Amino acid sequence: MNTELPPIDYSRKWFVMAAVAMSTFLSTIDGSIINVAMPTLVTELNTVFSMAQWVILAYLLTQTTLLPSIGRLGDMLGKNGCTRPASPFLRWVRCYAACRQPFTG
């Protein structure tokens, strides 16, 4: 019985590093955009600044917490195992959000 593992191929390690760096950069940009838009959100939603800060903090913490978990799930299930169930769910969420409030723009 041969229990040797096949050698690991490290030829794509820089692509993985670039993908991780890009996702971290985009998450940072997302947080910055939300913080820049906060005064407008407070004005448009008729709320207080501290309440908007708590909501945005909850959003950013949820995103930061779920990013490694979803990445691991993608590693275990594969690209299609993660994308196929998520796509209809995200479509439903977008449609629900779009129909929830009338567009006043």
Side-chain angles (χ1 to χ4, degrees):
M1 185 168 178
N2 190 0
T3 59
E4 283 187 34
L5 295 174
I8 298 174
D9 180 24
Y10 290 108
S11 64
R12 297 185 182 186
K13 67 181 177 183
W14 294 112
F15 292 118
V16 174
M17 181 63 185
V20 170
M22 183 61 75
S23 66
T24 304
F25 173 72
L26 291 176
S27 294
T28 304
I29 292 295
D30 187 31
S32 298
I33 290 170
I34 290 173
N35 284 322
V36 167
M38 193 179 314
T40 306
L41 291 172
V42 169
T43 305
E44 291 293 321
L45 298 175
N46 296 325
T47 186
V48 293
F49 195 75
S50 61
M51 179 61 81
Q53 281 181 321
W54 278 108
V55 171
I56 291 171
L57 179 65
Y59 166 73
L60 291 174
L61 283 174
T62 303
Q63 180 183 9
T64 304
T65 306
L66 288 178
L67 189 62
S69 306
I70 299 300
R72 177 65 179 143
L73 187 65
D75 286 344
M76 291 187 320
L77 298 177
K79 178 175 59 174
N80 289 333
C82 233
T83 307
R84 286 188 181 154
S87 184
F89 174 73
L90 291 175
R91 272 191 223 118
W92 179 83
V93 168
R94 288 181 192 132
C95 289
Y96 177 75
C99 296
R100 185 82 173 134
Q101 292 284 335
F103 181 72
T104 60

